[in-house]
């Protein structure tokens, strides 16, 4: 029996060591520490029973240190901190340590489970990525990443065969622009752009939904398109460098966004909440500030001369729908989580010690001030009671009364 326990303990230690070497886990991960603590403790007990004091010192120290590190890792896993270097999600040399702050609990997802296996829902998800990116194509890649990670974390399966089917691809490419969207020139560019992003969606889905055992056994797996591959696809589709969606800056931004996804998702899945806090949330705010600071701004619905802060408006709408128990599409959940995080941190009594988080909150307060300074179309005359109501709200709650 003791021989069997010795082999079991050794296998646990070796499993952690081999997995860390091939990139399946890091030496700071909970899984690695559990394997080392249990394996070391098992061998230490056997060494004590056999009065093998040198072996007891080695394995006992191994187990105690692993248990202490495990306790620290479990404690820090309860909170999430923003990292100023998004590329470093899985890179040890760029990982930065900050004191972490508690985050609000994640709201239960309101999903149907067929978002990635029913054509109508898949098309809606794909079209929504354009609405969320607000014309910033590098942002669209990370919205698709968060969406797929969010659906994966909530048990929604992906139908890769459907994503790569020629029939659905032809249907996507033939679809017109959404109603009210300004015309894009030259004619045919939107359809070609749909074809490019449909192929990118399939590539990201393959990486995000790659089984963990394949990551451990075979490493990073298929690579996401680099700049050269994106240029090849655009020329094959008929897109040209002088078109607005395929300029060199646009393709370079998309390639960089995809490289971040490939680096982070290569060896182990990244949770949607980590993608949100460390990558997507700052980018959503940058996109809003782009339109707030752009000459002429952006017109809201009904052509009213008011800057439309999409993040605040969509967050407010998602909160109402979630409270009513209605279905929320993945984009609704994205804005719901982003708004919850911003609201929570904006209402904390003290400034966060994390400089990246302070920068994010500064951007958030700026878009809140801009939203307050503009008259609301729902209140065209901006009555005094409405003005008092807006001025009395905190930066994190200015949008709660808008639907």
């Amino acid at each position: 029996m003791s021989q069997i326990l010795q082999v079991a303990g050794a296998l646990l230690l070796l499993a952690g060591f081999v997995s860390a070497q091939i990139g399946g886990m890091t030496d700071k991960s909970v899984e690695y520490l559990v394997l080392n603590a249990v394996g070391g403790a098992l061998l230490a007990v056997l060494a004590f029973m056999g009065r093998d004091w040198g072996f007891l010192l080695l394995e006992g120290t191994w187990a105690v240190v692993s248990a202490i590190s495990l306790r620290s890792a479990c404690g820090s896993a309860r909170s999430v901190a923003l990292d100023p270097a998004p590329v470093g999600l899985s890179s040890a040399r760029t990982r930065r340590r900050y004191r972490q702050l508690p985050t609000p609990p994640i709201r239960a997802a309101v999903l149907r489970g067929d978002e990635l296996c029913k054509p109508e829902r898949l098309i809606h998800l794909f079209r929504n990525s354009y609405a969320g990116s607000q014309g910033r194509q590098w942002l669209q890649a990370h919205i698709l990443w968060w969406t797929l990670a969010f659906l994966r974390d909530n048990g929604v399966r992906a139908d890769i065969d459907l994503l790569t089917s020629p029939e659905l691809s032809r249907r996507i490419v033939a679809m017109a622009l959404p109603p009210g969207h300004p015309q894009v020139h030259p004619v045919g560019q939107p359809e070609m752009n749909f074809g490019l992003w449909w192929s990118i969606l399939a590539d990201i889905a393959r990486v995000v939904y790659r089984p963990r055992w394949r990551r451990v056994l075979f490493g990073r797996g298929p690579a996401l398109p680099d700049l050269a591959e994106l240029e090849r696809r655009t020329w094959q589709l008929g897109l040209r460098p002088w078109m607005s969606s395929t300029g060199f800056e646009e393709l370079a931004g998309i390639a960089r966004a995809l490289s971040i996804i490939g680096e982070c998702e290569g060896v182990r899945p990244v949770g949607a909440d980590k993608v949100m806090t460390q990558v997507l949330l700052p980018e959503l705010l940058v996109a809003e500030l782009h339109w707030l600071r752009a000459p002429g701004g952006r017109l809201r619905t009904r052509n009213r001369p008011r800057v439309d802060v999409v993040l605040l408006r969509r967050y407010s709408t998602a909160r109402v729908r979630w409270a009513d128990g209605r279905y929320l599409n993945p984009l609704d959940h994205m804005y719901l989580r982003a708004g919850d995080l911003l609201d929570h941190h904006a209402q904390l009594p003290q400034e966060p010690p994390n400089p990246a988080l302070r920068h994010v909150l500064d951007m958030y307060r700026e878009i809140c001030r801009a939203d307050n300074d503009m008259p609301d179309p729902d209140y065209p005359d901006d009555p005094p009671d409405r003005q008092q109501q807006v001025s009395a709200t905190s930066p994190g709650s200015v949008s709660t009364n808008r639907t």
Side-chain angles (χ1 to χ4, degrees):
M1 183 64 181
S2 63
Q3 296 295 326
I4 296 176
L5 294 177
Q6 283 183 10
V7 172
L11 287 176
L12 289 174
L13 294 176
L14 289 173
F17 174 76
V18 172
S19 183
Q21 293 302 309
I22 66 176
M25 61 181 69
T26 67
D27 57 0
K28 302 294 184 183
S29 65
V30 173
E31 297 89 346
Y32 178 85
L33 295 173
V34 168
L35 291 173
N36 279 269
V38 175
L42 185 58
L43 293 178
V45 171
L46 293 175
F48 176 78
M49 295 172 61
R51 298 182 180 276
D52 192 343
W53 308 121
F55 195 54
L56 173 62
L57 177 62
L58 173 64
E59 297 302 334
T61 303
W62 196 290
V64 170
V65 173
S66 297
I68 294 174
S69 300
L70 178 62
R71 180 179 179 182
S72 300
C74 291
S76 62
R78 298 190 188 100
S79 57
V80 178
L82 286 171
D83 193 320
V87 181
L89 275 170
S90 62
S91 175
R93 68 177 182 272
T94 55
R95 192 179 294 118
R96 305 274 303 272
R97 301 284 184 187
Y98 292 104
R99 192 183 73 182
Q100 297 178 330
L101 298 174
T103 56
I106 300 176
R107 300 177 191 249
V110 183
L111 298 167
R112 299 189 187 276
D114 56 4
E115 280 78 9
L116 295 175
C117 60
K118 185 172 288 187
E120 290 73 19
R121 295 203 182 279
L122 190 54
I123 291 173
H124 191 64
L125 180 152
F126 175 70
R127 304 273 285 198
N128 270 344
S129 68
Y130 281 85
S133 66
Q134 304 183 49
R136 310 293 90 190
Q137 295 205 61
W138 46 267
L139 175 58
Q140 186 167 348
H142 288 164
I143 288 177
L144 290 172
W145 179 24
W146 182 90
T147 299
L148 293 169
F150 170 76
L151 294 174
R152 178 200 61 201
D153 294 349
N154 284 278
V156 177
R157 293 189 175 185
D159 189 341
I160 303 298
D161 292 335
L162 179 63
L163 275 167
T164 55
S165 66
E167 295 79 9
L168 190 56
S169 178
R170 285 192 291 268
R171 181 177 172 185
I172 288 291
V173 172
M175 296 183 72
L177 290 168
H181 193 285
Q183 292 298 319
V184 177
H185 299 285
V187 176
Q189 182 182 175
E191 292 81 358
M192 290 182 267
N193 187 268
F194 290 159
L196 173 65
W197 276 101
W198 185 252
S199 68
I200 294 175
L201 171 61
D203 290 330
I204 299 175
R206 290 190 189 96
V207 171
V208 172
Y209 272 87
R210 191 161 179 255
R212 184 185 292 266
W213 65 269
R214 288 187 180 176
R215 300 172 190 246
V216 173
L217 293 179
F218 304 110
R220 292 183 175 274
L224 289 170
D226 57 9
L227 181 57
E229 172 62 17
L230 290 174
E231 290 177 343
R232 188 194 67 79
R233 291 187 189 184
T234 55
W235 278 90
Q236 188 177 26
L237 290 166
L239 291 162
R240 296 295 181 264
W242 57 83
M243 294 180 178
S244 61
S245 62
T246 52
F248 179 79
E249 296 82 0
E250 293 285 353
L251 291 183
I254 298 171
R256 180 183 179 278
L258 293 176
S259 70
I260 294 174
I261 299 172
E263 180 182 349
C264 298
E265 286 279 354
V267 294
R268 59 183 306 179
V270 181
D273 213 40
K274 193 171 185 180
V275 175
M276 172 63 72
T277 55
Q278 297 188 348
V279 178
L280 186 56
L281 189 59
E283 294 180 345
L284 290 171
L285 293 170
V286 168
E288 295 290 352
L289 289 177
H290 165 80
W291 290 109
L292 285 175
R293 296 172 178 175
R298 172 180 51 193
L299 296 181
R300 199 182 180 185
T301 55
R302 294 178 287 179
N303 293 324
R304 298 209 178 239
R306 178 188 186 278
V307 174
D308 180 16
V309 182
V310 177
L311 192 153
L312 299 181
R313 173 170 54 84
R314 292 295 298 258
Y315 175 48
S316 175
T317 303
R319 287 182 61 180
V320 173
R321 290 178 178 172
W322 190 88
D324 293 342
R326 287 183 280 172
Y327 170 75
L328 273 70
N329 63 49
L331 191 70
D332 292 329
H333 278 290
M334 183 190 79
Y335 283 115
L336 185 64
R337 187 55 182 160
D340 281 347
L341 287 166
L342 291 169
D343 257 356
H344 173 77
H345 288 296
Q347 294 174 10
L348 292 176
Q350 296 180 347
E351 284 292 312
N354 185 335
L357 182 53
R358 288 200 301 270
H359 178 61
V360 166
L361 291 179
D362 288 341
M363 291 191 291
Y364 180 48
R365 294 184 181 108
E366 181 175 345
I367 69 170
C368 288
R369 284 193 297 269
D371 189 62
N372 283 341
D373 291 341
M374 297 292 179
D376 196 308
D378 297 328
Y379 299 85
D381 297 327
D382 212 13
D385 58 338
R386 169 64 179 169
Q387 295 176 2
Q388 294 174 2
Q389 180 184 12
V390 169
S391 63
T393 56
S394 64
S397 59
V398 293
S399 64
T400 55
N401 295 316
R402 298 189 181 161
T403 58

